[in-house]
Amino acid sequence: MRVNRILLSSSLIVVALVIQVSVLARLHLPGAVPDLLLLTVLGLALVYGHVGGALIGFAAGLLADLAPPADHAAGRYALVLCVIGYLAGLVKPESGQVKSASGPMIVVVAAAVGSTLLYAGVGALVGDTAARHVGLGGLLFTAALYDLLLAPFVVPGVMALARRAENDPLAETNPAKSGDIASGWLSGGTGLRIGGQRGGLRVKAARARGARAGRIKGVKRL
């Protein structure tokens, strides 16, 4: 991953996690909690693709697993967001521009439902049955509803920032351009072309050989 991708993704993930833990988790809404971290991962995955989405999702989930007041096994949410980020990156627009809002909204609903199911499934494997007591149906509905309402304020902004950082001219390196700049500096800075320098050296060498041959002939005549 590029440096600008890492810096932008890290900043957005930290901000999203702080807001989710300090604000959204304390609203005490019925059912699930609005998942701002999930929406941030989705926005980045829709720009960076499946590989970047998987890496960003894993890092974001692991940070959420370790951040207080996490009450589940470390790595559980990292696995969930890694899978969700990978799948979301597979539907990345080829042009990088979203033509309509229906596509990202479908991705948000599918990600909210899928992440809740996957989180509950992984919890069942490790012996966590909290989803059964709360009600899985209510969690699925509220998770999809909250994320869908929050998505228009998060996903487009995250995608715009990611595209802007992706098109940063300072981050692009083109070997061909650097070679042209180097050759232009050599020819423009000295005022001479390399080919012209070679031709001049050849002419001087030929003149030196002719002068030497003339001196030798003159010695022989004497």
Side-chain angles (χ1 to χ4, degrees), residues 62-187:
L62 186 61
L63 186 62
D65 289 333
L66 300 177
D71 56 352
H72 54 269
R76 180 176 172 184
Y77 200 46
L79 174 61
V80 173
L81 287 187
C82 180
V83 174
I84 297 299
Y86 178 84
L87 295 178
L90 292 177
V91 298
K92 168 190 173 183
E94 295 182 358
S95 61
Q97 299 287 340
V98 179
K99 297 181 180 180
S100 64
S102 59
M105 293 300 102
I106 294 175
V107 173
V108 168
V109 174
V113 174
S115 61
T116 304
L117 288 175
L118 187 58
Y119 186 83
V122 175
L125 292 177
V126 297
D128 186 1
T129 59
R132 297 180 181 178
H133 302 289
V134 176
L136 186 58
L139 285 177
L140 292 175
F141 176 76
T142 53
L145 178 62
Y146 296 154
D147 291 347
L148 189 60
L149 293 176
L150 189 61
F153 304 98
V154 178
V155 177
V158 172
M159 294 181 66
L161 290 174
R163 284 196 300 266
R164 184 174 181 180
E166 193 73 1
N167 296 328
D168 188 0
L170 297 178
E172 297 178 356
T173 56
N174 192 336
K177 291 183 179 180
S178 60
D180 294 339
I181 294 172
S183 62
W185 179 82
L186 289 175
S187 60

